[in-house]
Amino acid sequence: MNWVELPAIKWAIPIPLLIVVAPFVWWFFRSTWRELDAEGLAIRRDLAARNEIDYRPMIALTLVALILTFQDYYGRPDFYVRHLHAVVDRYAKAHPGSIVDPARWDELYMRGWWGLTRVAGYALPLLVWPLFFRRDHLADFGLRVRGFSAHAWIYALCVVVMVPVLLLVARQPDFADYYPMYKQAGRSWLDFGLWETIYLAQFFGLELFFRGFWLRAMRSFGSGAIWSMVVPYCMIHYGKPYLEASAAIIAGVVLGSLAMRTRSIYAGFLVHATVAVLMDILALERRKMLPSALVPGGKTHVEFNHWTAVIWIAWALALAVLAVKVRRSLPEIRAAVRRGPSA
């Protein structure tokens, strides 16, 4: 047995990791947190001066509680099995020859239902919010593209850090057994493509919900908005591998701080999407189940067995982007060094 899998050891692994990572996260985002606290204080002072109440956190947290509860009770795969499988099966029998084929695609339908309820729930605040706050712009929920390119190097930094971590994590049995969540993803390239489309759409909705809507609605909390978001974000990972659920604490802080620094969810979505797709590929590769057939049961096969090389090439490109950023920033760095440490 891998010593990391021993319960007496595994439960404690996140603690030293948090202690090691925390100073780096603080150093990188401390100025962002100060700005958020100053902004939150200004909002609260303005409300107090006008003798008004900020109803945004109340409405937002109520929506969050309702949406996450709905998703957990009605968006789980077992709900599909109990209530929707029979409906799909009856339709397929009543319409032979249609594209609905539960014998071949039932698990994909189940995962599709999961993805649909996630995306619909995460996007619901975009429809509800204007009913309460007509002056708020939905684009402020992290959907503005302007300025994204200026922060692309942060995405490159995340890729540089995460790729080696993923290559190590992929060796753990629980990760290899859990991913991909759609167990037929390696059956064909069509299966893989359809699943990743569902998976990535869900991640975009997730970033919109937690790092867009939540953080914008909770601005009066200052940097505390990030930590309040991390709690339910970590909890939605329950049921996944233990180390991943624990790492969601760090990921939530980093992605939340990144979203507030860039005022956009796109960098966080790209980080999340990259990690998710690579994790699926590495898990399939470990089990020697990478797709080759174009379609399920098809005779045309296209094999590609160089994913590890592609991953390292992507890592090298991200490292090159960072090198360019550092080179362009050298004059600012030298000037800062000459001025000496600042508060």
Side-chain angles (χ1 to χ4, degrees):
M1 178 186 250
N2 190 327
W3 65 271
V4 177
E5 291 299 309
L6 294 173
I9 295 174
K10 189 173 183 177
W11 74 269
I13 290 177
I15 299 174
L17 291 179
L18 283 170
I19 294 173
V20 170
V21 172
F24 295 98
V25 176
W26 170 83
W27 177 83
F28 194 82
F29 289 114
R30 67 189 189 281
S31 61
T32 302
W33 298 342
R34 289 194 195 106
E35 292 174 6
L36 293 175
D37 284 338
E39 182 182 2
L41 180 60
I43 292 173
R44 293 194 300 274
R45 281 177 172 171
D46 182 61
L47 288 168
R50 291 185 281 120
N51 197 30
E52 293 182 1
I53 297 173
D54 184 8
Y55 290 101
R56 286 172 177 80
M58 302 179 193
I59 301 296
L61 293 177
T62 301
L63 278 173
V64 168
L66 289 172
I67 290 168
L68 294 181
T69 302
F70 162 78
Q71 288 176 335
D72 193 63
Y73 280 86
Y74 294 97
R76 295 169 61 89
D78 59 339
F79 178 86
Y80 172 88
V81 172
R82 293 196 311 269
H83 300 284
L84 300 179
H85 169 76
V87 176
V88 173
D89 195 50
R90 283 197 301 270
Y91 181 90
K93 290 177 180 178
H95 301 84
S98 70
I99 60 173
V100 178
D101 184 2
R104 175 172 291 189
W105 299 108
D106 195 49
E107 187 186 352
L108 187 66
Y109 297 155
M110 179 179 70
R111 293 301 175 186
W113 172 252
W114 168 82
L116 177 63
T117 57
R118 262 52 187 176
V119 172
Y122 292 148
L124 183 62
L126 295 182
L127 300 176
V128 175
W129 201 251
L131 300 178
F132 295 94
F133 308 104
R134 296 182 181 276
R135 294 182 179 180
D136 288 6
H137 296 286
L138 296 182
D140 290 332
F141 288 174
L143 296 175
R144 298 189 187 276
V145 180
R146 185 177 58 189
F148 169 71
S149 59
H151 298 95
W153 67 272
I154 302 179
Y155 166 69
L157 174 63
C158 292
V159 171
V160 167
V161 173
M162 288 306 303
V163 164
V165 173
L166 283 175
L167 291 172
L168 291 174
V169 165
R171 298 176 179 272
Q172 299 302 313
D174 52 353
F175 280 88
D177 293 341
Y178 187 85
Y179 291 103
M181 292 168 61
Y182 174 49
K183 300 309 177 186
Q184 298 287 342
R187 181 174 58 174
S188 70
W189 287 109
L190 180 60
D191 282 280
F192 183 81
L194 291 173
W195 162 241
E196 296 302 332
T197 299
I198 295 170
Y199 203 27
L200 296 187
Q202 176 268 155
F203 276 121
F204 185 82
L206 183 149
E207 290 298 325
L208 173 64
F209 185 74
F210 284 103
R211 259 74 76 172
F213 160 67
W214 183 302
L215 295 182
R216 176 66 180 177
M218 308 290 286
R219 283 187 307 153
S220 60
F221 280 36
S223 61
I226 296 172
W227 271 263
S228 69
M229 172 271 295
V230 168
V231 176
Y233 177 68
C234 174
M235 294 175 70
I236 66 170
H237 288 75
Y238 291 173
K240 293 188 175 185
Y242 170 69
L243 293 181
E244 180 181 355
S246 301
I249 301 171
I250 300 172
V253 172
V254 170
L255 293 175
S257 301
L258 178 60
M260 296 307 287
R261 178 167 177 161
T262 63
R263 303 294 172 172
S264 166
I265 65 169
Y266 297 114
F269 167 68
L270 287 176
V271 171
H272 224 150
T274 301
V275 170
V277 173
L278 291 183
M279 195 70 241
D280 279 357
I281 290 171
L282 290 171
L284 289 171
E285 186 177 50
R286 178 180 172 84
R287 298 203 301 268
K288 302 186 185 305
M289 292 180 61
L290 286 168
S292 61
L294 286 180
V295 297
K299 296 181 179 180
T300 304
H301 289 253
V302 178
E303 294 190 6
F304 185 81
N305 299 309
H306 306 288
W307 284 109
T308 301
V310 170
I311 291 170
W312 279 116
I313 290 171
W315 181 84
L317 290 173
L319 191 63
V321 171
L322 279 183
V324 171
K325 171 64 178 178
V326 170
R327 184 175 179 180
R328 291 178 176 176
S329 301
L330 278 177
E332 297 177 12
I333 295 173
R334 288 168 182 160
V337 170
R338 285 197 219 67
R339 288 195 302 269
S342 58

